[in-house]
Amino acid sequence: MKRIPFILLALTMFVCLSAKAQAQSSIPQVEALLEKMTIEEKIGQLNLLTPGGGVATGSVVSENVEAKIKAGNVGGLFGVAGPDKVRMAQKIAVEQTRLGIPLLIGSDVIHGYKTTFPLPLGLAATWDMELINRTAQVAAKEATADGINWNFSPMVDISRDPRWGRISEGAGEDPFLGSAIARAMVTGYQQDDLTRPNTMIATVKHFALYGAAEGGRDYNSVDMGRVKMFNDYLPPYKAAIDAGVASVMSSFNDIDGVPATGNKWLLTDLLRDKWGFKGFVVSDYTSLNEMIAHGLGNLQAVSAQALNAGLDMDMVGEGFLTTLKKSLDEGKVTEDEITQACRRILEAKYKLGLFEDPYRYNDETRPEKDILSKDNRALAREAARKSFVLLKNENNTLPLKKDAKIALVGPLADSQNNMLGTWSPTGDTKYAVPILEGFKNVAAGAKITYAKGANISNDKAFAEKINVFGPRIEIDERTPETMLKEALEAAKKADVVVAVAGEATEMTGEASSMTSISIPESQKMLIRALAKTGKPVVLVLMSGRPLTIEEEMGLPVSILQVWHPGVEAGNAIADVVFGNYNPSGKITASWPRNVGQIPVYHSMKNTGRPELKKEWEKFKSSYLDVDNSPLIPFGFGLSYTTFEYSDIKVDHSEITQDQPVNISVTVKNTGNYDGEEVVQLYLHDVVRSITPPKRTLKGFQKVMINKGERKTITLTLTPDDLKFYNGNLDFIAEPGVFEVYVGGNSDAQLKTQFTLK
Ligand code: BGC
């Protein structure tokens, strides 16, 4: 037998010992508990279940779940809410299991709990981080009042594909803005103290790259080079981790052929070793089991792979619960791996203060005062009106007079069921304010005639797919012709027509990908006919994604994009339509001219053959049939007033690597209303070792400027803002010239430059 040199042996021992020391929790109570746990009890902690339907109908948990909790086979639940129901579940865990370990109680609180805020793509359009942070705080306050201590949000997946239904759940196309929003949400949910009864654990999801599914088809494969990944898609997850997010959810897609849930490079090498994440990783809903369908083996094999990769908790599929012991016996996983995953779950429970008081989220008096309070609803109204984007204001039709004669038409004009938007399972449509009601609340003196005018879609089979969570597309018994006639008659008698059209809530969201993203034909017919009446027409457009609206932009109509605005929908829309609030939202994902143009986003590259002139030229990177530019650029949104930009200045024409640079600009409100403007800064790194984007967002500030007023705005570029991941994935800034553009959208022309030495 060969002798192992002593130095090697010592080194190996040192490495093993320090790895073990590293694995130890800094929380002595957690280590003490781990000492007492059997392997089965540890595996039990890795299991997350949802009792589903059992909850709604009374009994707190379905039989099986209850038995599993008692057997110590459950670490957390989701889909259970209400302090009393959660208390019952918690009581079983605490009083009827050997070690009395309390449960994590999860939920999808994506854009508000019961006080539903605009869907995330709408919230992003506010560009107001303080406001977004407040919505997250309120969501946490309401959810924790109902017994929840762990939220499956924020969803920070960058998406440049509006075919993907879940683009509605994120911040859009840009990593700089997406990172700012990720921070605002994480710190809103968690604040700086998880033991407080009104904060909850946040989960950044879906790690990673879920928004880049091929063809925009949900759950589809992702194939992406590392440079793009690190520069464009990973920053918001990283920002959430740096902000202290306590949990991460793995995504459904594969990356380089390995599903995220079993991807060791992703969950360990990157997330833990490189980024230093210390919390726990949960799978997405059965995403562990789905590795079987991905083609990676049977349940035992994929469960072992996921644990080896760094997954800590298995959502719903029970792959960990049913196979890990066997894998341990067969040497496919180690006891250390199981203990480590369990340790992370226990640490989360400890951080929440659950060991000290498992019922800290079960105060029966809280829901009444904390949920859907007047203040919370006021915030929902504020957030909604700030999320609206004025895309076009034909002849300054908007705002309307409060005593106008209005024909309010369209299938979404009085549709309470479609106000909350996708992924609002904790909300309740019965609290939502429909638009007709909002108009009456805000403009009591207006003479309003309502007519449905069209169905959201005339396609019964399509409607069935959309109506899975309740009626969203309700096809009228009357013929489309009769409905149209009624709308045109209302229009005839009115001074102005407000048409509310677009998507039903479930036309975007999970498993709601579309290959055509135009307004459904049934509604297009209504809009065309209204535009022909000669009356001023305001199109209030609802959707959870960018739509292709080239035809509507060409009609003589004004267009106000309102997403799905949440519980205060009608009031907020009326606030903007009648001028109580001057719109200030700006889109955060470019709107394409047509589906064939996808992906189109502001930070595209020049290519070797850029399209330089306005008129078409052969042998350029362009299309024969449409321009390269999107229909509506990233960052665009109008106001009832106008803003003029001038005097761009840079405080240093030359800077060093560790020096920030300040760019200032004067913005004047040149119109007739006070208003807010989102001042945006775009950077172009002119020459560098990997091809730079033509420009990319690197700064913004939302400012209130009164009419006639002029303000000087200063935006600072930090040394990190000039950095990018190069071909070796080093995060560096390279010397040379940087061009800076400042303005009200990504087409900003006002320009200056500086040189990095
Ligand atoms: C979604 C997640 C969600 C989970 C639990 C999944 O289908 O992808 O975003 O958190 O369900 O409801």
Side-chain angles (χ1 to χ4, degrees):
M1 199 176 97
K2 261 207 193 147
R3 284 186 55 195
I4 303 167
F6 174 74
I7 180 76
L8 205 67
L9 198 68
L11 201 69
T12 319
M13 273 175 70
F14 173 75
V15 170
C16 290
L17 281 174
S18 58
K20 184 141 175 63
Q22 221 181 22
Q24 291 269 324
S25 176
S26 58
I27 306 166
Q29 290 91 329
V30 167
E31 287 309 314
L33 188 53
L34 282 169
E35 287 292 316
K36 292 188 211 148
M37 291 175 85
T38 64
I39 196 73
E40 286 80 9
E41 283 165 334
K42 288 178 185 171
I43 293 172
Q45 287 301 306
L46 317 187
N47 194 29
L48 173 64
L49 294 183
T50 179
V55 180
T57 51
S59 92
V60 57
V61 286
S62 62
E63 276 310 296
N64 249 350
V65 176
E66 191 168 329
K68 283 177 187 147
I69 299 175
K70 282 185 189 159
N73 283 339
V74 182
L77 292 179
F78 69 105
V80 188
D84 45 345
K85 286 182 183 163
V86 172
R87 181 184 286 274
M88 281 170 69
Q90 203 65 285
K91 232 170 138 65
I92 301 170
V94 171
E95 292 178 11
Q96 299 187 46
T97 65
R98 191 178 79 91
L99 294 169
I101 302 173
L103 299 164
L104 289 172
I105 305 292
S107 182
D108 287 278
V109 186
I110 308 300
H111 46 118
Y113 186 65
K114 283 263 181 313
T115 301
T116 312
F117 299 111
L119 49 74
L121 191 61
L123 267 182
T126 66
W127 295 66
D128 187 335
M129 301 308 114
E130 188 268 335
L131 173 80
I132 292 174
N133 181 270
R134 275 192 287 142
T135 66
Q137 287 187 35
V138 165
K141 188 174 180 186
E142 291 198 351
T144 53
D146 235 5
I148 284 137
N149 52 40
W150 173 27
N151 189 12
F152 306 151
S153 168
M155 188 282 219
V156 304
D157 306 321
I158 294 295
S159 183
R160 295 167 174 183
D161 196 333
R163 293 171 298 184
W164 189 51
R166 298 192 86 170
I167 194 171
S168 55
E169 259 185 85
E173 74 185 34
D174 181 67
F176 184 84
L177 178 66
S179 298
I181 292 176
R183 283 190 287 273
M185 295 190 81
V186 169
T187 54
Y189 293 138
Q190 298 191 163
Q191 297 180 45
D192 51 5
D193 182 1
L194 279 174
T195 62
R196 276 173 41 198
N198 59 354
T199 58
M200 57 186 171
I201 285 183
T203 307
V204 66
K205 70 186 190 184
H206 306 82
F207 194 57
L209 319 181
Y210 182 35
E214 275 181 12
R217 203 183 74 208
D218 213 353
Y219 319 124
N220 205 0
S221 284
V222 172
D223 194 5
M224 188 186 293
R226 292 282 149 103
V227 165
K228 190 177 194 104
M229 204 185 278
F230 275 75
N231 283 301
D232 295 2
Y233 282 78
L234 293 178
Y237 307 106
K238 170 113 183 354
I241 306 256
D242 292 344
V245 76
S247 87
V248 169
M249 186 185 291
S250 65
S251 56
F252 288 119
N253 54 283
D254 62 342
I255 296 169
D256 286 338
V258 184
T261 301
N263 193 316
K264 184 164 182 300
W265 172 78
L266 187 74
L267 301 187
T268 298
D269 301 355
L270 178 67
L271 181 65
R272 297 197 182 277
D273 297 348
K274 207 170 159 69
W275 290 357
F277 176 63
K278 297 274 185 295
F280 69 101
V281 182
V282 62
S283 76
D284 202 344
Y285 202 107
T286 62
S287 67
L288 187 153
N289 313 55
E290 290 167 26
M291 286 167 65
I292 303 170
H294 272 290
L296 270 81
N298 62 23
L299 189 59
Q300 185 190 351
V302 298
S303 301
Q305 179 176 342
L307 186 77
N308 294 155
L311 184 79
D312 302 308
M313 197 172 213
D314 169 12
M315 191 192 289
V316 179
E318 303 193 13
F320 275 180
L321 186 74
T322 55
T323 70
L324 282 189
K325 177 70 178 39
K326 186 160 183 263
S327 290
L328 178 65
D329 295 342
E330 292 170 4
K332 293 180 175 134
V333 301
T334 65
E335 183 163 354
D336 273 358
E337 286 174 318
I338 294 170
T339 305
Q340 180 60 354
C342 179
R343 177 179 287 120
R344 292 179 184 135
I345 307 297
L346 297 180
E347 283 177 341
K349 295 180 178 183
Y350 183 86
K351 282 186 204 150
L352 285 167
L354 287 173
F355 288 114
E356 200 181 296
D357 175 10
Y359 307 111
R360 66 167 63 238
Y361 304 96
N362 307 117
D363 174 350
E364 274 82 1
T365 66
R366 275 188 64 192
E368 173 77 25
K369 52 179 198 282
D370 285 351
I371 296 180
L372 277 168
S373 67
K374 227 173 121 210
D375 286 353
N376 297 359
R377 290 198 73 131
L379 182 63
R381 186 166 176 167
E382 181 191 347
R385 58 194 193 187
K386 286 190 169 166
S387 74
F388 303 157
V389 185
L390 183 62
L391 296 178
K392 199 174 160 219
N393 198 2
E394 188 84 2
N395 302 323
N396 291 327
T397 302
L398 286 168
L400 303 185
K401 295 209 180 70
K402 286 188 182 154
D403 59 357
K405 248 197 270 167
I406 300 168
L408 179 61
V409 303
L412 290 160
D414 190 23
S415 171
Q416 196 175 29
N417 285 343
N418 283 298
M419 296 302 101
L420 298 189
T422 187
W423 264 118
S424 50
T426 55
D428 191 332
T429 53
K430 75 169 184 261
Y431 299 118
V433 182
I435 297 169
L436 177 58
E437 189 182 318
F439 271 35
K440 289 180 184 161
N441 293 341
V442 170
K447 288 163 245 12
I448 302 168
T449 313
Y450 162 76
K452 184 171 172 184
N455 294 312
I456 294 176
S457 162
N458 291 333
D459 181 341
K460 284 203 179 103
F462 181 69
E464 251 173 60
K465 293 181 193 164
I466 300 305
N467 293 346
V468 282
F469 303 130
R472 301 289 184 261
I473 299 182
E474 292 170 279
I475 299 182
D476 214 276
E477 280 171 4
R478 295 170 297 170
T479 64
E481 293 72 28
T482 313
M483 288 161 77
L484 179 63
K485 205 164 150 232
E486 189 191 18
L488 291 176
E489 268 156 26
K492 216 186 276 170
K493 292 184 217 129
D495 306 330
V496 56
V497 182
V498 177
V500 192
E503 291 187 324
T505 59
E506 295 310 326
M507 283 169 68
T508 42
E510 187 167 351
S512 292
S513 295
M514 300 271 277
T515 61
S516 160
I517 53 168
S518 55
I519 300 170
E521 189 54 33
S522 55
Q523 301 181 72
K524 271 176 162 294
M525 280 169 58
L526 170 67
I527 298 163
R528 277 184 211 124
L530 292 169
K532 278 197 201 129
T533 60
K535 295 283 166 113
V537 176
V538 176
L539 173 59
V540 172
L541 190 55
M542 280 193 179
S543 71
R545 53 157 63 90
L547 298 173
T548 50
I549 55 164
E550 198 155 34
E551 179 185 353
E552 290 74 22
M553 285 295 270
L555 294 175
V557 301
S558 302
I559 305 180
L560 180 69
Q561 168 66 17
V562 298
W563 317 105
H564 290 117
V567 73
E568 284 289 325
N571 290 333
I573 291 172
D575 282 341
V576 171
V577 166
F578 294 104
N580 287 355
Y581 181 75
N582 182 0
S584 63
K586 306 260 189 178
I587 59 167
T588 63
S590 307
W591 286 41
R593 294 176 189 278
N594 60 30
V595 166
Q597 219 189 10
I598 296 169
V600 58
Y601 50 95
H602 80 276
S603 55
M604 294 184 91
K605 294 182 175 182
N606 235 2
T607 79
R609 295 189 173 196
E611 195 187 41
L612 294 174
K613 295 198 196 131
K614 279 255 175 299
E615 65 274 16
W616 184 83
E617 285 179 283
K618 188 79 180 158
F619 303 121
K620 295 289 178 193
S621 178
S622 62
Y623 296 103
L624 287 175
D625 52 350
V626 295
D627 280 358
N628 283 1
S629 62
L631 181 66
I632 308 170
F634 174 84
F636 179 86
L638 300 171
S639 161
Y640 294 155
T641 191
T642 44
F643 298 101
E644 203 181 86
Y645 285 73
S646 62
D647 296 329
I648 188 166
K649 285 194 191 99
V650 56
D651 68 347
H652 291 94
S653 57
E654 255 188 26
I655 55 162
T656 56
Q657 287 273 349
D658 50 7
Q659 196 183 352
V661 58
N662 294 309
I663 316 293
S664 64
V665 71
T666 302
V667 187
K668 185 175 180 202
N669 180 336
T670 48
N672 296 321
Y673 297 82
D674 299 344
E676 286 153 289
E677 169 70 332
V678 181
V679 180
Q680 301 158 44
L681 182 153
Y682 295 88
L683 197 66
H684 176 209
D685 189 349
V686 181
V687 175
R688 70 181 201 190
S689 56
I690 58 165
T691 52
K694 272 189 280 192
R695 55 174 65 184
T696 185
L697 181 76
K698 285 294 174 189
F700 62 90
Q701 197 176 314
K702 190 163 186 172
V703 280
M704 177 75 198
I705 307 178
N706 294 334
K707 62 180 169 193
E709 194 190 358
R710 187 191 292 271
K711 269 192 181 163
T712 301
I713 311 299
T714 303
L715 296 161
T716 302
L717 289 168
T718 67
D720 272 2
D721 291 332
L722 311 188
K723 292 185 182 166
F724 64 98
Y725 290 90
N726 69 6
N728 299 323
L729 301 182
D730 299 323
F731 190 53
I732 54 155
E734 291 176 356
V737 173
F738 287 79
E739 292 174 347
V740 184
Y741 299 85
V742 179
N745 65 61
S746 57
D747 274 347
Q749 294 304 320
L750 203 62
K751 182 178 165 191
T752 183
Q753 65 177 52
F754 62 87
T755 303
L756 176 70
K757 285 196 283 192

